[in-house]
Amino acid sequence: MKSAFFGPFLSARTRTVASMTTATIDFEPEFQRVLDYQHGLVTARQLRGLGISTRQIQHMVESGQWSTVLHGVYAVTNGPLDRPMTLWAALLFGGPRAILSHRTAAEEWALVPVDPAGPIHVTVPYGLSAEPQGPTYRKAGRRSDRPVPREGDLLHPGVVVHRSRAHAHILVPTLLPRTSLADTVVNLAVEEPSAPEAARVVVAAVTGSSVSVHELLRRIEQRPPRRYRKALTDALSFVVGGVQSILEHRYAVDVETAHGLPTARRQSPVLVDGQTLYEDVDYSDSGVPLIVRLDGLRYHSSRSVALRDRRRGNAAELAGKATLVYGWEEVTRRSCDVAAEVRAVLERGGWSGSNPCPRCREYLLTSGG
């Protein structure tokens, strides 16, 4: 029986592995094609379709020549699984319509680092019976005189199964099928424990990858997420308004909006030494010449960058614009203090506005201010 994933993929490694076991099973060309394409992995159903009995499968496993990777999924090797084998095993376990999704798809899209100990996430259409499976650990062959890996070692980190009614619309038919980049971002955000963290996921994705704001908004409209919809669309609105990093988004939400400060102009152009540079936050439209610069780096990566920032700061000063500079620690941990400093400069320039921040009001009440 052919897998839905068969294709013209050849692997010298699986041919070598197969030749080690021919004393027990005669590998037909069709079987070899299965192993080549699936990185040395095969399902019990495929094996039965190729005329290999349950008794033969059991012998190969118990002799230590094969490994039971997941329920009904075998590796024709007793060695460790590499990344493609781990992913293939999860797809075969999920069935012919399973696709990589959520955290695993995000790893494949390079949105997040690979977690080798984390479970593999797959999505299947509604109505299929695939169930999650926990990690599997290696078992020593009971009738083998050949060396085998240590019993109890992690063999596969397990599979998390999701279901989707829009399965056909979220699929990208890569060699290892997965959810589209936009769908992956939305799924990743919805899995976060809070709305602010979900918003940071979409901002990081838009500012750090090739996914577009409009594609994400379209996906959210077509497939409304089960939670955080407003937080996600609001975050994307900030990006449309010029926010270009997670730090800028945190400033816009936690400092500016939360404290009733005027909406600043983002990425305001300024000419420095004949070159157009951009200021992160410019309050000139509110009538006060104030620049807020957000430094997301702990140190400058080069002397040229440091020189550029010094020249930009001097240009702002020469233009009569006050400049405040904040980093990640101040914006994320001391947002009320940052807002108070920005407010002080704005009020000094004639701007006035109320502060809706409950933490600030509580502080004023307790301090008698």
Side-chain angles (χ1 to χ4, degrees):
M1 177 179 178
K2 288 188 177 182
S3 164
F5 303 118
F6 284 177
F9 180 86
L10 299 177
S11 167
R13 175 181 178 183
T14 54
R15 284 196 292 273
T16 302
V17 171
S19 66
M20 295 167 55
T21 62
T22 53
T24 305
I25 293 179
D26 183 16
F27 279 49
E28 298 294 335
E30 176 68 5
F31 191 6
Q32 189 62 62
R33 284 193 291 272
V34 174
L35 298 180
D36 286 343
Y37 188 68
Q38 296 177 176
H39 283 252
L41 293 154
V42 64
T43 67
R45 186 177 181 182
Q46 289 171 336
L47 290 168
R48 289 193 296 268
L50 291 164
I52 299 172
S53 68
T54 301
R55 183 173 181 180
Q56 287 175 300
I57 298 172
Q58 184 178 10
H59 167 75
M60 300 302 286
V61 172
E62 291 185 348
S63 65
Q65 297 178 71
W66 289 6
S67 301
T68 303
V69 180
L70 295 165
H71 179 70
V73 180
Y74 303 93
V76 293
T77 174
N78 61 8
L81 306 185
D82 58 19
R83 174 73 174 176
M85 294 176 75
T86 300
L87 298 180
W88 261 114
L91 289 172
L92 292 171
F93 172 80
R97 298 184 67 187
I99 60 177
L100 303 176
S101 65
H102 294 77
R103 168 83 195 197
T104 305
E107 293 172 350
E108 292 300 290
W109 284 115
L111 294 172
V112 296
V114 173
D115 177 10
I120 306 303
H121 292 258
V122 301
T123 289
V124 300
Y126 265 93
L128 296 188
S129 59
E131 297 294 334
Q133 179 172 330
T136 55
Y137 299 89
R138 191 174 300 281
K139 296 180 181 179
R142 294 198 294 271
R143 300 201 302 267
S144 175
D145 56 0
R146 67 179 63 197
V148 295
R150 185 174 58 187
E151 183 175 9
D153 285 349
L154 179 68
L155 182 59
H156 194 282
V159 182
V160 178
V161 179
H162 307 267
R163 288 173 173 78
S164 172
R165 291 186 175 89
H167 180 274
H169 304 287
I170 64 178
L171 164 67
V172 174
T174 49
L175 179 61
L176 291 169
R178 61 194 181 202
T179 50
S180 73
L181 179 55
D183 289 300
T184 299
V185 171
V186 174
N187 288 339
L188 200 63
V190 170
E191 294 299 310
E192 290 295 319
S194 69
E197 290 173 272
R200 286 194 284 276
V201 168
V202 296
V203 172
V206 171
T207 58
S209 74
S210 60
V211 64
S212 72
V213 172
H214 299 296
E215 178 64 13
L216 283 174
L217 288 172
R218 187 170 70 87
R219 288 300 199 192
I220 291 171
E221 180 67 25
Q222 292 174 337
R223 298 177 52 234
R226 58 185 174 85
R227 59 179 181 176
Y228 305 148
R229 180 175 181 176
K230 185 178 186 303
L232 299 183
T233 53
D234 287 349
L236 292 172
S237 297
F238 278 117
V239 175
V240 171
V243 165
Q244 293 191 354
S245 70
I246 300 177
L247 178 57
E248 291 180 34
H249 177 251
R250 288 295 297 269
Y251 178 88
V253 174
D254 298 343
V255 176
E256 196 171 272
T257 302
H259 293 86
L261 298 177
T263 300
R265 188 192 317 163
R266 315 287 171 188
Q267 303 305 313
S268 178
V270 56
L271 191 64
V272 179
D273 297 335
Q275 180 181 6
T276 301
L277 303 178
Y278 298 88
E279 295 290 6
D280 300 321
V281 181
D282 186 348
Y283 287 105
S284 298
D285 291 347
S286 66
V288 181
L290 170 63
I291 296 295
V292 173
R293 192 164 300 145
L294 301 170
D295 184 3
L297 302 176
R298 293 185 181 275
Y299 50 86
H300 290 298
S301 57
S302 67
R303 293 178 63 185
S304 62
V305 172
L307 174 61
R308 180 202 66 189
D309 286 351
R310 289 198 302 271
R311 296 294 298 152
R312 185 174 58 170
N314 291 345
E317 183 64 30
L318 291 170
K321 295 184 177 181
T323 303
L324 298 174
V325 182
Y326 301 106
W328 179 262
E329 290 78 6
E330 302 101 293
V331 171
T332 60
R333 299 178 184 177
R334 299 173 52 198
S335 59
C336 291
D337 294 336
V338 171
E341 293 177 358
V342 174
R343 179 179 292 275
V345 177
L346 290 171
E347 290 178 343
R348 189 174 65 198
W351 175 86
S352 63
S354 60
N355 181 2
C357 177
R359 288 188 300 166
C360 291
R361 290 202 303 267
E362 181 180 352
Y363 173 76
L364 289 174
L365 288 174
T366 57
S367 65

